Amino acid sequence: MLRLTKKADYGLMALKYLAEHPETPALSAKDVADAYGIPAQLLAKILQRLTKTGLLRSHAGMNGGYALARDPRQISAFEVIRAIDGPLFITSCTKGTKACELTPSCTIKEPLARVNETIAGVLKSISIQDLAEQEHAAGKAREAHGLVALTP
Amino acid sequence: MLRLTKKADYGLMALKYLAEHPETPALSAKDVADAYGIPAQLLAKILQRLTKTGLLRSHAGMNGGYALARDPRQISAFEVIRAIDGPLFITSCTKGTKACELTPSCTIKEPLARVNETIAGVLKSISIQDLAEQEHAAGKAREAHGLVALTP
DNA sequence: GAAAGCCCGACAGAATCGGTCGTATACTAA
DNA sequence: TTAGTATACGACCGATTCTGTCGGGCTTTC
Ligand code: FES
Ligand code: FES
């Protein structure tokens, strides 16, 4: 169906891991990478991007590393994915600046954009905290359904 | 965010077009392709796949072409996308047969699979008919929210 | 100052996607 | 019967995107 990039997956995993270790002041990219067995350098770049978008705080030097910039309840999966994968949309056309050349003829775009909004809404309703304690994630998502604005 | 392939987009457009012309017994791939200005041969292959999965009926020879196999209300966007893009999932891992090698360590997978279900539910609630008359699509999607089963 | 860490751009290999071509087959109409 | 129209299918290639690596530079702590 719809695929999330591995980078975004890694990013979510890392944030979840950070959320699970709130006592430590900071964890290095290598620490997290080793914990999950994912490429350290790649994860480092991902965490750097998350830092640049303000989701993480970084600290160089010995015993440095990354820490969540906010409460894990205040960070949504949506933000993470958007920060890493960029603002892509479900319609293969509406990608950033230039619109699809056959936009006028394609009448499918509009309803699908609405679907996109729904998905974004669900993703926004899931916080890193929810991932850390998986049990509540489902409930959270169900709640959010009423909140998603589908009507223009 | 999450991108739909162009092929799936084309497929939805074509089906919508067919739904809009219920009086004609069949429309050739070229007819539809010309109507939207998309590559004819590519669309042909897409329609062939949709035929093989039972969403369309094909008829060779003169005045042949494709027609919907069922009522447009009974064909969901989900079926179309699945037929074309295959059963991909939001987690980059769970792709078909072989699971991700780091599945045991990745605890993110489960909650995201639930998101995937939600998306599938929304997509299932949208029929080709809804696309043809865009107005009601939003309402349909909103309705469906209560129906999506998120709890295991 | 040296080691541990972050920062960042460039780049290569792999996979996927978009699209084309050629050929075989089926059906219809004249 | 024959010509024309259209589907069916597989192979193939160029373009794009994704994944991961390398290298050099900068900061902080010890
Ligand atoms: S393909 Fe571009 S608007 Fe749908
Ligand atoms: S990356 Fe494979 S299970 Fe999440």
mmCIF file of all heavy atoms in Angstrom, chain C residues 1-19:
data_model
loop_
_atom_site.group_PDB
_atom_site.id
_atom_site.type_symbol
_atom_site.label_atom_id
_atom_site.label_comp_id
_atom_site.label_asym_id
_atom_site.label_seq_id
_atom_site.Cartn_x
_atom_site.Cartn_y
_atom_site.Cartn_z
ATOM 1 P P DG C 1 48.764 22.638 22.075
ATOM 2 O OP1 DG C 1 50.217 22.242 22.026
ATOM 3 O OP2 DG C 1 48.297 23.629 21.160
ATOM 4 O "O5'" DG C 1 47.993 21.260 21.968
ATOM 5 C "C5'" DG C 1 48.762 20.263 22.596
ATOM 6 C "C4'" DG C 1 47.934 19.087 23.006
ATOM 7 O "O4'" DG C 1 46.920 19.437 23.968
ATOM 8 C "C3'" DG C 1 47.174 18.451 21.831
ATOM 9 O "O3'" DG C 1 47.153 17.061 22.038
ATOM 10 C "C2'" DG C 1 45.768 18.996 22.008
ATOM 11 C "C1'" DG C 1 45.676 18.931 23.527
ATOM 12 N N9 DG C 1 44.612 19.769 24.091
ATOM 13 C C8 DG C 1 44.292 21.054 23.783
ATOM 14 N N7 DG C 1 43.305 21.514 24.469
ATOM 15 C C5 DG C 1 42.935 20.466 25.287
ATOM 16 C C6 DG C 1 41.903 20.373 26.251
ATOM 17 O O6 DG C 1 41.100 21.234 26.596
ATOM 18 N N1 DG C 1 41.872 19.121 26.846
ATOM 19 C C2 DG C 1 42.723 18.100 26.549
ATOM 20 N N2 DG C 1 42.541 16.961 27.223
ATOM 21 N N3 DG C 1 43.692 18.165 25.650
ATOM 22 C C4 DG C 1 43.729 19.382 25.056
ATOM 23 P P DA C 2 47.869 16.026 21.130
ATOM 24 O OP1 DA C 2 49.236 15.761 21.639
ATOM 25 O OP2 DA C 2 47.678 16.436 19.727
ATOM 26 O "O5'" DA C 2 46.984 14.740 21.415
ATOM 27 C "C5'" DA C 2 46.874 14.266 22.758
ATOM 28 C "C4'" DA C 2 45.475 13.722 23.026
ATOM 29 O "O4'" DA C 2 44.593 14.799 23.438
ATOM 30 C "C3'" DA C 2 44.807 13.068 21.813
ATOM 31 O "O3'" DA C 2 44.107 11.935 22.275
ATOM 32 C "C2'" DA C 2 43.840 14.141 21.331
ATOM 33 C "C1'" DA C 2 43.387 14.691 22.689
ATOM 34 N N9 DA C 2 42.768 16.010 22.633
ATOM 35 C C8 DA C 2 43.108 17.052 21.815
ATOM 36 N N7 DA C 2 42.360 18.128 22.001
ATOM 37 C C5 DA C 2 41.489 17.759 23.010
ATOM 38 C C6 DA C 2 40.444 18.449 23.658
ATOM 39 N N6 DA C 2 40.122 19.702 23.384
ATOM 40 N N1 DA C 2 39.769 17.775 24.621
ATOM 41 C C2 DA C 2 40.103 16.517 24.891
ATOM 42 N N3 DA C 2 41.061 15.769 24.351
ATOM 43 C C4 DA C 2 41.718 16.451 23.409
ATOM 44 P P DA C 3 44.016 10.602 21.346
ATOM 45 O OP1 DA C 3 45.091 9.660 21.722
ATOM 46 O OP2 DA C 3 43.872 11.057 19.937
ATOM 47 O "O5'" DA C 3 42.618 10.002 21.806
ATOM 48 C "C5'" DA C 3 42.301 9.999 23.197
ATOM 49 C "C4'" DA C 3 40.847 10.390 23.391
ATOM 50 O "O4'" DA C 3 40.675 11.809 23.201
ATOM 51 C "C3'" DA C 3 39.879 9.698 22.409
ATOM 52 O "O3'" DA C 3 38.837 9.098 23.164
ATOM 53 C "C2'" DA C 3 39.356 10.850 21.551
ATOM 54 C "C1'" DA C 3 39.455 12.023 22.514
ATOM 55 N N9 DA C 3 39.511 13.327 21.866
ATOM 56 C C8 DA C 3 40.343 13.709 20.847
ATOM 57 N N7 DA C 3 40.170 14.959 20.466
ATOM 58 C C5 DA C 3 39.155 15.411 21.286
ATOM 59 C C6 DA C 3 38.503 16.660 21.386
ATOM 60 N N6 DA C 3 38.806 17.704 20.612
ATOM 61 N N1 DA C 3 37.535 16.788 22.319
ATOM 62 C C2 DA C 3 37.239 15.733 23.085
ATOM 63 N N3 DA C 3 37.781 14.516 23.087
ATOM 64 C C4 DA C 3 38.740 14.419 22.160
ATOM 65 P P DA C 4 37.857 8.007 22.465
ATOM 66 O OP1 DA C 4 37.809 6.792 23.292
ATOM 67 O OP2 DA C 4 38.176 7.920 21.019
ATOM 68 O "O5'" DA C 4 36.469 8.766 22.618
ATOM 69 C "C5'" DA C 4 36.112 9.329 23.877
ATOM 70 C "C4'" DA C 4 34.914 10.236 23.716
ATOM 71 O "O4'" DA C 4 35.325 11.478 23.111
ATOM 72 C "C3'" DA C 4 33.820 9.648 22.829
ATOM 73 O "O3'" DA C 4 32.552 9.849 23.437
ATOM 74 C "C2'" DA C 4 33.952 10.434 21.529
ATOM 75 C "C1'" DA C 4 34.480 11.779 22.017
ATOM 76 N N9 DA C 4 35.266 12.497 21.017
ATOM 77 C C8 DA C 4 36.202 11.977 20.160
ATOM 78 N N7 DA C 4 36.753 12.870 19.367
ATOM 79 C C5 DA C 4 36.133 14.061 19.730
ATOM 80 C C6 DA C 4 36.268 15.393 19.260
ATOM 81 N N6 DA C 4 37.126 15.739 18.294
ATOM 82 N N1 DA C 4 35.505 16.334 19.833
ATOM 83 C C2 DA C 4 34.659 15.977 20.805
ATOM 84 N N3 DA C 4 34.440 14.759 21.328
ATOM 85 C C4 DA C 4 35.212 13.846 20.745
ATOM 86 P P DG C 5 31.366 8.940 22.930
ATOM 87 O OP1 DG C 5 30.325 8.900 23.978
ATOM 88 O OP2 DG C 5 31.900 7.676 22.372
ATOM 89 O "O5'" DG C 5 30.854 9.799 21.703
ATOM 90 C "C5'" DG C 5 29.690 10.528 21.913
ATOM 91 C "C4'" DG C 5 29.783 11.911 21.269
ATOM 92 O "O4'" DG C 5 31.124 12.265 20.896
ATOM 93 C "C3'" DG C 5 29.061 12.014 19.921
ATOM 94 O "O3'" DG C 5 27.664 12.088 20.099
ATOM 95 C "C2'" DG C 5 29.621 13.345 19.428
ATOM 96 C "C1'" DG C 5 31.017 13.395 20.049
ATOM 97 N N9 DG C 5 32.070 13.397 19.035
ATOM 98 C C8 DG C 5 32.832 12.347 18.611
ATOM 99 N N7 DG C 5 33.710 12.665 17.702
ATOM 100 C C5 DG C 5 33.503 14.021 17.488
ATOM 101 C C6 DG C 5 34.150 14.928 16.605
ATOM 102 O O6 DG C 5 35.072 14.708 15.821
ATOM 103 N N1 DG C 5 33.622 16.214 16.713
ATOM 104 C C2 DG C 5 32.604 16.578 17.557
ATOM 105 N N2 DG C 5 32.231 17.852 17.515
ATOM 106 N N3 DG C 5 31.992 15.733 18.398
ATOM 107 C C4 DG C 5 32.494 14.488 18.310
ATOM 108 P P DC C 6 26.723 12.006 18.811
ATOM 109 O OP1 DC C 6 25.392 11.656 19.324
ATOM 110 O OP2 DC C 6 27.399 11.140 17.824
ATOM 111 O "O5'" DC C 6 26.702 13.498 18.238
ATOM 112 C "C5'" DC C 6 26.267 14.546 19.061
ATOM 113 C "C4'" DC C 6 26.622 15.876 18.430
ATOM 114 O "O4'" DC C 6 28.000 15.849 18.009
ATOM 115 C "C3'" DC C 6 25.804 16.231 17.187
ATOM 116 O "O3'" DC C 6 25.442 17.601 17.231
ATOM 117 C "C2'" DC C 6 26.747 15.950 16.043
ATOM 118 C "C1'" DC C 6 28.100 16.240 16.666
ATOM 119 N N1 DC C 6 29.196 15.469 16.023
ATOM 120 C C2 DC C 6 30.167 16.124 15.253
ATOM 121 O O2 DC C 6 30.098 17.347 15.115
ATOM 122 N N3 DC C 6 31.140 15.405 14.678
ATOM 123 C C4 DC C 6 31.187 14.085 14.835
ATOM 124 N N4 DC C 6 32.179 13.403 14.254
ATOM 125 C C5 DC C 6 30.201 13.396 15.617
ATOM 126 C C6 DC C 6 29.230 14.123 16.178
ATOM 127 P P DC C 7 24.452 18.147 16.082
ATOM 128 O OP1 DC C 7 23.897 19.437 16.563
ATOM 129 O OP2 DC C 7 23.539 17.043 15.743
ATOM 130 O "O5'" DC C 7 25.379 18.448 14.841
ATOM 131 C "C5'" DC C 7 26.054 19.725 14.781
ATOM 132 C "C4'" DC C 7 26.680 19.902 13.419
ATOM 133 O "O4'" DC C 7 27.681 18.875 13.207
ATOM 134 C "C3'" DC C 7 25.737 19.804 12.216
ATOM 135 O "O3'" DC C 7 25.818 21.016 11.485
ATOM 136 C "C2'" DC C 7 26.242 18.613 11.430
ATOM 137 C "C1'" DC C 7 27.708 18.568 11.838
ATOM 138 N N1 DC C 7 28.371 17.246 11.704
ATOM 139 C C2 DC C 7 29.488 17.107 10.874
ATOM 140 O O2 DC C 7 29.899 18.081 10.241
ATOM 141 N N3 DC C 7 30.083 15.901 10.771
ATOM 142 C C4 DC C 7 29.623 14.864 11.461
ATOM 143 N N4 DC C 7 30.252 13.688 11.342
ATOM 144 C C5 DC C 7 28.485 14.977 12.322
ATOM 145 C C6 DC C 7 27.893 16.177 12.409
ATOM 146 P P DC C 8 24.657 21.409 10.481
ATOM 147 O OP1 DC C 8 24.575 22.887 10.470
ATOM 148 O OP2 DC C 8 23.464 20.601 10.794
ATOM 149 O "O5'" DC C 8 25.229 20.937 9.078
ATOM 150 C "C5'" DC C 8 26.521 21.376 8.653
ATOM 151 C "C4'" DC C 8 26.973 20.590 7.452
ATOM 152 O "O4'" DC C 8 27.625 19.361 7.868
ATOM 153 C "C3'" DC C 8 25.852 20.143 6.506
ATOM 154 O "O3'" DC C 8 26.143 20.601 5.224
ATOM 155 C "C2'" DC C 8 25.899 18.626 6.578
ATOM 156 C "C1'" DC C 8 27.375 18.412 6.873
ATOM 157 N N1 DC C 8 27.704 17.055 7.386
ATOM 158 C C2 DC C 8 28.864 16.426 6.950
ATOM 159 O O2 DC C 8 29.606 17.017 6.158
ATOM 160 N N3 DC C 8 29.153 15.196 7.393
ATOM 161 C C4 DC C 8 28.332 14.578 8.251
ATOM 162 N N4 DC C 8 28.665 13.361 8.668
ATOM 163 C C5 DC C 8 27.146 15.201 8.715
ATOM 164 C C6 DC C 8 26.870 16.431 8.263
ATOM 165 P P DG C 9 25.021 21.042 4.217
ATOM 166 O OP1 DG C 9 24.702 22.476 4.356
ATOM 167 O OP2 DG C 9 23.937 20.036 4.323
ATOM 168 O "O5'" DG C 9 25.766 20.837 2.822
ATOM 169 C "C5'" DG C 9 27.147 21.172 2.715
ATOM 170 C "C4'" DG C 9 27.893 20.106 1.945
ATOM 171 O "O4'" DG C 9 28.096 18.942 2.791
ATOM 172 C "C3'" DG C 9 27.165 19.595 0.694
ATOM 173 O "O3'" DG C 9 28.048 19.663 -0.407
ATOM 174 C "C2'" DG C 9 26.793 18.166 1.049
ATOM 175 C "C1'" DG C 9 27.906 17.782 2.015
ATOM 176 N N9 DG C 9 27.577 16.679 2.907
ATOM 177 C C8 DG C 9 26.485 16.578 3.730
ATOM 178 N N7 DG C 9 26.469 15.476 4.427
ATOM 179 C C5 DG C 9 27.609 14.802 4.040
ATOM 180 C C6 DG C 9 28.134 13.554 4.449
ATOM 181 O O6 DG C 9 27.668 12.752 5.268
ATOM 182 N N1 DG C 9 29.334 13.235 3.812
ATOM 183 C C2 DG C 9 29.939 14.041 2.882
ATOM 184 N N2 DG C 9 31.083 13.582 2.373
ATOM 185 N N3 DG C 9 29.469 15.209 2.488
ATOM 186 C C4 DG C 9 28.312 15.532 3.100
ATOM 187 P P DA C 10 27.488 19.500 -1.890
ATOM 188 O OP1 DA C 10 27.808 20.706 -2.650
ATOM 189 O OP2 DA C 10 26.082 19.036 -1.796
ATOM 190 O "O5'" DA C 10 28.384 18.296 -2.433
ATOM 191 C "C5'" DA C 10 29.649 18.050 -1.823
ATOM 192 C "C4'" DA C 10 30.090 16.633 -2.169
ATOM 193 O "O4'" DA C 10 29.671 15.737 -1.097
ATOM 194 C "C3'" DA C 10 29.467 16.070 -3.459
ATOM 195 O "O3'" DA C 10 30.468 15.412 -4.204
ATOM 196 C "C2'" DA C 10 28.399 15.108 -2.943
ATOM 197 C "C1'" DA C 10 29.029 14.615 -1.649
ATOM 198 N N9 DA C 10 28.070 14.140 -0.661
ATOM 199 C C8 DA C 10 26.935 14.781 -0.237
ATOM 200 N N7 DA C 10 26.262 14.115 0.670
ATOM 201 C C5 DA C 10 27.002 12.956 0.856
ATOM 202 C C6 DA C 10 26.809 11.836 1.685
ATOM 203 N N6 DA C 10 25.774 11.700 2.524
ATOM 204 N N1 DA C 10 27.735 10.844 1.616
ATOM 205 C C2 DA C 10 28.764 10.995 0.780
ATOM 206 N N3 DA C 10 29.042 11.999 -0.044
ATOM 207 C C4 DA C 10 28.123 12.959 0.040
ATOM 208 P P DC C 11 30.214 14.946 -5.725
ATOM 209 O OP1 DC C 11 31.345 15.414 -6.538
ATOM 210 O OP2 DC C 11 28.836 15.316 -6.095
ATOM 211 O "O5'" DC C 11 30.299 13.365 -5.593
ATOM 212 C "C5'" DC C 11 31.033 12.790 -4.514
ATOM 213 C "C4'" DC C 11 30.593 11.359 -4.291
ATOM 214 O "O4'" DC C 11 29.601 11.299 -3.232
ATOM 215 C "C3'" DC C 11 29.935 10.710 -5.525
ATOM 216 O "O3'" DC C 11 30.518 9.448 -5.746
ATOM 217 C "C2'" DC C 11 28.478 10.584 -5.106
ATOM 218 C "C1'" DC C 11 28.604 10.395 -3.609
ATOM 219 N N1 DC C 11 27.368 10.705 -2.838
ATOM 220 C C2 DC C 11 26.906 9.786 -1.888
ATOM 221 O O2 DC C 11 27.515 8.741 -1.712
ATOM 222 N N3 DC C 11 25.770 10.068 -1.198
ATOM 223 C C4 DC C 11 25.123 11.219 -1.412
ATOM 224 N N4 DC C 11 24.031 11.461 -0.705
ATOM 225 C C5 DC C 11 25.584 12.164 -2.368
ATOM 226 C C6 DC C 11 26.698 11.872 -3.059
ATOM 227 P P DA C 12 30.622 8.876 -7.255
ATOM 228 O OP1 DA C 12 32.010 9.051 -7.733
ATOM 229 O OP2 DA C 12 29.493 9.422 -8.045
ATOM 230 O "O5'" DA C 12 30.389 7.326 -7.036
ATOM 231 C "C5'" DA C 12 31.112 6.641 -6.022
ATOM 232 C "C4'" DA C 12 30.254 5.537 -5.429
ATOM 233 O "O4'" DA C 12 29.187 6.119 -4.654
ATOM 234 C "C3'" DA C 12 29.593 4.637 -6.480
ATOM 235 O "O3'" DA C 12 29.709 3.300 -6.059
ATOM 236 C "C2'" DA C 12 28.147 5.120 -6.475
ATOM 237 C "C1'" DA C 12 27.968 5.511 -5.017
ATOM 238 N N9 DA C 12 26.903 6.462 -4.761
ATOM 239 C C8 DA C 12 26.705 7.682 -5.345
ATOM 240 N N7 DA C 12 25.653 8.323 -4.881
ATOM 241 C C5 DA C 12 25.125 7.465 -3.937
ATOM 242 C C6 DA C 12 24.010 7.555 -3.094
ATOM 243 N N6 DA C 12 23.182 8.601 -3.072
ATOM 244 N N1 DA C 12 23.768 6.507 -2.271
ATOM 245 C C2 DA C 12 24.590 5.462 -2.291
ATOM 246 N N3 DA C 12 25.666 5.265 -3.032
ATOM 247 C C4 DA C 12 25.886 6.313 -3.845
ATOM 248 P P DG C 13 29.581 2.151 -7.153
ATOM 249 O OP1 DG C 13 30.807 1.341 -7.079
ATOM 250 O OP2 DG C 13 29.119 2.711 -8.456
ATOM 251 O "O5'" DG C 13 28.381 1.318 -6.525
ATOM 252 C "C5'" DG C 13 28.511 0.796 -5.213
ATOM 253 C "C4'" DG C 13 27.176 0.245 -4.746
ATOM 254 O "O4'" DG C 13 26.277 1.339 -4.466
ATOM 255 C "C3'" DG C 13 26.474 -0.647 -5.771
ATOM 256 O "O3'" DG C 13 26.030 -1.825 -5.105
ATOM 257 C "C2'" DG C 13 25.332 0.213 -6.304
ATOM 258 C "C1'" DG C 13 25.068 1.196 -5.164
ATOM 259 N N9 DG C 13 24.658 2.524 -5.605
ATOM 260 C C8 DG C 13 25.239 3.285 -6.576
ATOM 261 N N7 DG C 13 24.650 4.442 -6.740
ATOM 262 C C5 DG C 13 23.620 4.431 -5.831
ATOM 263 C C6 DG C 13 22.644 5.416 -5.560
ATOM 264 O O6 DG C 13 22.479 6.517 -6.082
ATOM 265 N N1 DG C 13 21.771 5.010 -4.549
ATOM 266 C C2 DG C 13 21.840 3.807 -3.888
ATOM 267 N N2 DG C 13 20.925 3.585 -2.953
ATOM 268 N N3 DG C 13 22.752 2.876 -4.143
ATOM 269 C C4 DG C 13 23.605 3.258 -5.122
ATOM 270 P P DA C 14 25.213 -2.906 -5.923
ATOM 271 O OP1 DA C 14 25.551 -4.229 -5.360
ATOM 272 O OP2 DA C 14 25.323 -2.658 -7.385
ATOM 273 O "O5'" DA C 14 23.723 -2.549 -5.485
ATOM 274 C "C5'" DA C 14 23.429 -2.342 -4.105
ATOM 275 C "C4'" DA C 14 21.962 -2.008 -3.930
ATOM 276 O "O4'" DA C 14 21.720 -0.638 -4.324
ATOM 277 C "C3'" DA C 14 21.023 -2.873 -4.785
ATOM 278 O "O3'" DA C 14 20.015 -3.405 -3.936
ATOM 279 C "C2'" DA C 14 20.468 -1.904 -5.832
ATOM 280 C "C1'" DA C 14 20.573 -0.558 -5.138
ATOM 281 N N9 DA C 14 20.784 0.583 -6.022
ATOM 282 C C8 DA C 14 21.741 0.721 -6.985
ATOM 283 N N7 DA C 14 21.693 1.878 -7.619
ATOM 284 C C5 DA C 14 20.625 2.529 -7.018
ATOM 285 C C6 DA C 14 20.061 3.805 -7.242
ATOM 286 N N6 DA C 14 20.501 4.665 -8.147
ATOM 287 N N1 DA C 14 19.011 4.157 -6.468
ATOM 288 C C2 DA C 14 18.561 3.291 -5.547
ATOM 289 N N3 DA C 14 19.009 2.077 -5.257
ATOM 290 C C4 DA C 14 20.061 1.749 -6.032
ATOM 291 P P DA C 15 19.048 -4.552 -4.517
ATOM 292 O OP1 DA C 15 18.932 -5.585 -3.473
ATOM 293 O OP2 DA C 15 19.430 -4.924 -5.897
ATOM 294 O "O5'" DA C 15 17.657 -3.761 -4.585
ATOM 295 C "C5'" DA C 15 17.263 -2.976 -3.464
ATOM 296 C "C4'" DA C 15 16.214 -1.982 -3.886
ATOM 297 O "O4'" DA C 15 16.808 -0.973 -4.738
ATOM 298 C "C3'" DA C 15 15.057 -2.590 -4.698
ATOM 299 O "O3'" DA C 15 13.847 -2.315 -4.020
ATOM 300 C "C2'" DA C 15 15.146 -1.881 -6.050
ATOM 301 C "C1'" DA C 15 15.861 -0.592 -5.708
ATOM 302 N N9 DA C 15 16.590 0.011 -6.805
ATOM 303 C C8 DA C 15 17.580 -0.549 -7.560
ATOM 304 N N7 DA C 15 18.074 0.244 -8.481
ATOM 305 C C5 DA C 15 17.345 1.410 -8.306
ATOM 306 C C6 DA C 15 17.383 2.659 -8.976
ATOM 307 N N6 DA C 15 18.211 2.923 -9.974
ATOM 308 N N1 DA C 15 16.521 3.604 -8.555
ATOM 309 C C2 DA C 15 15.684 3.345 -7.545
ATOM 310 N N3 DA C 15 15.560 2.222 -6.843
ATOM 311 C C4 DA C 15 16.431 1.289 -7.282
ATOM 312 P P DT C 16 12.517 -3.114 -4.474
ATOM 313 O OP1 DT C 16 11.895 -3.631 -3.243
ATOM 314 O OP2 DT C 16 12.828 -4.018 -5.600
ATOM 315 O "O5'" DT C 16 11.599 -1.942 -5.039
ATOM 316 C "C5'" DT C 16 11.617 -0.666 -4.386
ATOM 317 C "C4'" DT C 16 11.292 0.415 -5.379
ATOM 318 O "O4'" DT C 16 12.391 0.605 -6.294
ATOM 319 C "C3'" DT C 16 10.058 0.130 -6.261
ATOM 320 O "O3'" DT C 16 9.063 1.076 -5.929
ATOM 321 C "C2'" DT C 16 10.589 0.294 -7.689
ATOM 322 C "C1'" DT C 16 11.844 1.114 -7.494
ATOM 323 N N1 DT C 16 12.882 0.977 -8.548
ATOM 324 C C2 DT C 16 13.190 2.084 -9.322
ATOM 325 O O2 DT C 16 12.649 3.168 -9.194
ATOM 326 N N3 DT C 16 14.170 1.874 -10.263
ATOM 327 C C4 DT C 16 14.860 0.682 -10.508
ATOM 328 O O4 DT C 16 15.712 0.617 -11.372
ATOM 329 C C5 DT C 16 14.479 -0.428 -9.655
ATOM 330 C C7 DT C 16 15.159 -1.746 -9.820
ATOM 331 C C6 DT C 16 13.527 -0.232 -8.730
ATOM 332 P P DC C 17 7.610 0.969 -6.601
ATOM 333 O OP1 DC C 17 6.657 1.455 -5.588
ATOM 334 O OP2 DC C 17 7.449 -0.356 -7.220
ATOM 335 O "O5'" DC C 17 7.702 2.071 -7.746
ATOM 336 C "C5'" DC C 17 8.457 3.249 -7.491
ATOM 337 C "C4'" DC C 17 8.445 4.148 -8.702
ATOM 338 O "O4'" DC C 17 9.567 3.829 -9.560
ATOM 339 C "C3'" DC C 17 7.202 4.063 -9.583
ATOM 340 O "O3'" DC C 17 6.826 5.373 -9.949
ATOM 341 C "C2'" DC C 17 7.676 3.228 -10.769
ATOM 342 C "C1'" DC C 17 9.127 3.637 -10.884
ATOM 343 N N1 DC C 17 10.038 2.637 -11.498
ATOM 344 C C2 DC C 17 10.927 3.050 -12.489
ATOM 345 O O2 DC C 17 10.926 4.221 -12.858
ATOM 346 N N3 DC C 17 11.772 2.133 -13.035
ATOM 347 C C4 DC C 17 11.753 0.871 -12.609
ATOM 348 N N4 DC C 17 12.613 0.018 -13.163
ATOM 349 C C5 DC C 17 10.860 0.432 -11.599
ATOM 350 C C6 DC C 17 10.022 1.346 -11.070
ATOM 351 P P DG C 18 5.462 5.588 -10.720
ATOM 352 O OP1 DG C 18 4.837 6.801 -10.164
ATOM 353 O OP2 DG C 18 4.701 4.317 -10.739
ATOM 354 O "O5'" DG C 18 5.950 5.923 -12.193
ATOM 355 C "C5'" DG C 18 6.900 6.972 -12.369
ATOM 356 C "C4'" DG C 18 7.246 7.112 -13.831
ATOM 357 O "O4'" DG C 18 8.138 6.040 -14.229
ATOM 358 C "C3'" DG C 18 6.040 7.049 -14.776
ATOM 359 O "O3'" DG C 18 6.150 8.107 -15.710
ATOM 360 C "C2'" DG C 18 6.136 5.680 -15.428
ATOM 361 C "C1'" DG C 18 7.617 5.346 -15.333
ATOM 362 N N9 DG C 18 7.895 3.944 -15.084
ATOM 363 C C8 DG C 18 7.244 3.118 -14.210
ATOM 364 N N7 DG C 18 7.728 1.901 -14.186
ATOM 365 C C5 DG C 18 8.757 1.938 -15.104
ATOM 366 C C6 DG C 18 9.645 0.925 -15.508
ATOM 367 O O6 DG C 18 9.691 -0.250 -15.130
ATOM 368 N N1 DG C 18 10.552 1.372 -16.465
ATOM 369 C C2 DG C 18 10.605 2.652 -16.968
ATOM 370 N N2 DG C 18 11.533 2.906 -17.874
ATOM 371 N N3 DG C 18 9.772 3.617 -16.593
ATOM 372 C C4 DG C 18 8.883 3.192 -15.671
ATOM 373 P P DG C 19 4.928 8.307 -16.716
ATOM 374 O OP1 DG C 19 4.870 9.738 -17.079
ATOM 375 O OP2 DG C 19 3.739 7.632 -16.154
ATOM 376 O "O5'" DG C 19 5.422 7.506 -18.010
ATOM 377 C "C5'" DG C 19 6.738 7.776 -18.512
ATOM 378 C "C4'" DG C 19 7.144 6.697 -19.491
ATOM 379 O "O4'" DG C 19 7.417 5.469 -18.811
ATOM 380 C "C3'" DG C 19 6.113 6.356 -20.569
ATOM 381 O "O3'" DG C 19 6.556 6.929 -21.793
ATOM 382 C "C2'" DG C 19 6.108 4.816 -20.606
ATOM 383 C "C1'" DG C 19 7.313 4.443 -19.771
ATOM 384 N N9 DG C 19 7.241 3.164 -19.080
ATOM 385 C C8 DG C 19 6.340 2.791 -18.113
ATOM 386 N N7 DG C 19 6.521 1.571 -17.681
ATOM 387 C C5 DG C 19 7.609 1.111 -18.412
ATOM 388 C C6 DG C 19 8.263 -0.139 -18.386
ATOM 389 O O6 DG C 19 7.996 -1.134 -17.688
ATOM 390 N N1 DG C 19 9.317 -0.185 -19.287
ATOM 391 C C2 DG C 19 9.688 0.844 -20.108
ATOM 392 N N2 DG C 19 10.729 0.629 -20.915
ATOM 393 N N3 DG C 19 9.098 2.021 -20.143
ATOM 394 C C4 DG C 19 8.061 2.080 -19.279
#
